[in-house]
């Protein structure tokens, strides 16, 4: 029984670590995208929408990024 619990704990920890890594990578991706949008807005004097269109940002990402601008 103890081995089964230990295996379950290891599997759970591995799954949690993978999910955490995926979330962290998504945050890094969005922060990078946000910085690029801000740079385009500043250097080209574009609106957020213009910058995101030029970068072909997905609709799902646009919603999240607009909240951060």
């Amino acid at each position: 029984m103890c081995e089964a619990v230990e295996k379950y704990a290891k599997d759970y920890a591995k799954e949690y670590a993978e999910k955490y890594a995926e979330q962290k990578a998504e945050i890094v991706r969005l922060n990078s995208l946000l910085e690029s949008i801000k740079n385009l807005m500043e250097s080209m004097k574009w609106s957020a929408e213009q910058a995101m269109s030029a970068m072909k940002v997905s609709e799902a990402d646009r919603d999240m990024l607009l909240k951060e601008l």
Side-chain angles (χ1 to χ4, degrees):
M1 182 68 172
C2 187
E3 289 176 18
V5 172
E6 186 176 327
K7 181 182 179 332
Y8 174 79
K10 285 181 182 179
D11 290 344
Y12 180 81
K14 182 179 177 183
E15 181 180 333
Y16 177 79
E18 289 171 356
K19 285 182 182 179
Y20 177 79
E22 289 171 7
Q23 289 174 347
K24 185 72 171 173
E26 181 68 3
I27 290 169
V28 169
R29 184 185 72 81
L30 289 172
N31 283 338
S32 177
L33 197 52
L34 184 63
E35 189 63 30
S36 295
I37 291 165
K38 287 179 180 179
N39 289 339
L40 277 175
M41 291 172 66
E42 182 182 335
S43 64
M44 302 298 288
K45 306 296 185 224
W46 285 349
S47 67
E49 290 79 13
Q50 288 172 311
M52 287 189 265
S53 290
M55 295 178 65
K56 298 182 183 271
V57 175
S58 71
E59 288 297 319
D61 286 346
R62 283 179 191 234
D63 294 339
M64 286 186 279
L65 293 166
L66 283 172
K67 292 175 186 174
E68 296 297 321
L69 291 172

